[in-house]
Each structure stands twice: as structure tokens, then as C-alpha cells.
């Protein structure tokens, strides 16, 4: 009986230690874009030198669309445990449905992204229609 209790206590202690370690290392957190500053940092990490002048963050924080002074558009989204970004051009497909803007990159691995941009969606969709091929 005592041996069983020691095993149980050891298992509970191990679980608590692993939970503490995961929290200490900040593993498994809710990874979302929370601010324009964070979107700028992600954009700079994915495409160094990209300086956005306009930023639209999805309401859920899962992706963002950024435009620089030269009219280039960068789409960023989470890709596995990292953030990935793609410069968009006239070959990309986009579809507007009320406040939702779906952007397809044409890449099977990156896929398409649907952003909930609310009232801004039509403005960004119009900007994407004028991209150069």
C-alpha cells in the first residue's frame, strides 16, 4: 500500500514539474498578433527591410495584411510554430465576402488565408486588385 502511494505521489510531482517547466519556458501559449507593433516585427523577421505604412490585423489575430510605401503587400500568418510571410502580386487570388477577405497565394504549402477585417476588407480588396503582375 505504501509503495503504491509513493508511486502516485511521484507521478503527481512529475506532472506538476513538467507543467511548471512548460509555463516557465512559455510553451503552448496562445500565439496571435496582438498589435501593429508585433505585426511590424513579424514582417521584418519574414522580409527584412519591409517597412509597412498600413496594417490590417485579422480580428482573431491569426494573420495580418501589410502595405509599404511602394504599394507592396505582405501577407503574414502562422505556419507551424513560426510566422511566415508572402509578398503578394497580381497573380494572387482574392475574394471578398462581406467583412471577410480570402487571399490565395497559389502555393500549396502556404495555402490561402481568410482574414476577418470587418469594414476594412473592401478597402484592402481594392488595393489587391491593383497589384502588378
Amino acid at each position: 500500500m505504501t509503495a503504491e502511494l509513493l508511486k502516485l505521489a511521484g507521478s503527481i510531482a512529475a506532472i506538476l514539474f513538467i507543467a511548471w517547466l512548460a509555463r516557465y519556458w512559455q510553451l503552448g501559449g496562445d500565439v496571435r498578433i496582438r498589435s501593429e507593433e508585433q505585426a511590424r516585427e513579424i514582417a521584418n523577421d519574414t522580409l527584412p527591410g519591409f517597412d509597412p505604412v498600413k496594417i490590417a490585423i485579422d480580428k482573431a489575430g491569426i494573420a495580418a495584411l501589410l502595405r509599404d510605401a511602394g504599394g507592396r503587400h505582405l501577407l503574414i500568418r502562422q505556419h507551424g510554430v513560426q510566422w511566415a510571410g508572402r509578398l503578394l502580386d497580381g497573380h494572387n487570388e482574392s475574394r471578398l465576402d462581406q467583412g471577410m477577405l480570402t487571399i490565395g497565394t497559389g502555393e500549396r504549402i502556404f495555402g490561402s488565408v481568410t482574414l476577418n477585417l470587418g469594414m476594412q476588407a473592401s478597402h484592402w480588396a481594392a488595393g489587391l486588385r491593383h497589384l502588378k503582375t
Side-chain angles (χ1 to χ4, degrees):
M1 180 74 163
T2 305
E4 295 297 320
L5 288 174
L6 285 175
K7 285 181 187 178
L8 178 63
S11 294
I12 291 172
I15 290 169
L16 290 175
F17 175 73
I18 291 171
W20 173 83
L21 194 61
R23 184 178 200 93
Y24 179 76
W25 285 339
Q26 299 177 349
L27 300 175
D30 185 18
V31 182
R32 296 179 190 262
I33 302 171
R34 303 250 182 241
S35 67
E36 286 190 1
E37 184 57 37
Q38 184 184 9
R40 285 179 198 283
E41 291 173 12
I42 294 168
N44 192 44
D45 289 345
T46 58
L47 185 64
F50 187 87
D51 186 25
V53 295
K54 187 81 171 152
I55 300 172
I57 301 173
D58 172 73
K59 288 185 179 183
I62 60 169
L65 190 56
L66 302 91
R67 186 181 73 234
D68 70 1
R72 297 183 305 165
H73 286 69
L74 177 66
L75 175 64
I76 57 174
R77 74 175 197 100
Q78 193 172 7
H79 189 72
V81 296
Q82 298 178 355
W83 291 98
R86 294 295 185 269
L87 272 177
L88 302 176
D89 61 20
H91 292 103
N92 299 110
E93 55 191 62
S94 61
R95 186 176 65 248
L96 178 63
D97 183 18
Q98 295 177 3
M100 309 290 268
L101 179 60
T102 302
I103 302 169
T105 61
E107 295 180 35
R108 187 178 61 80
I109 293 175
F110 194 84
S112 64
V113 179
T114 300
L115 297 100
N116 183 353
L117 301 178
M119 300 296 287
Q120 297 181 37
S122 60
H123 169 75
W124 284 92
L128 292 175
R129 282 194 296 270
H130 293 84
L131 289 177
K132 298 174 184 170
T133 56

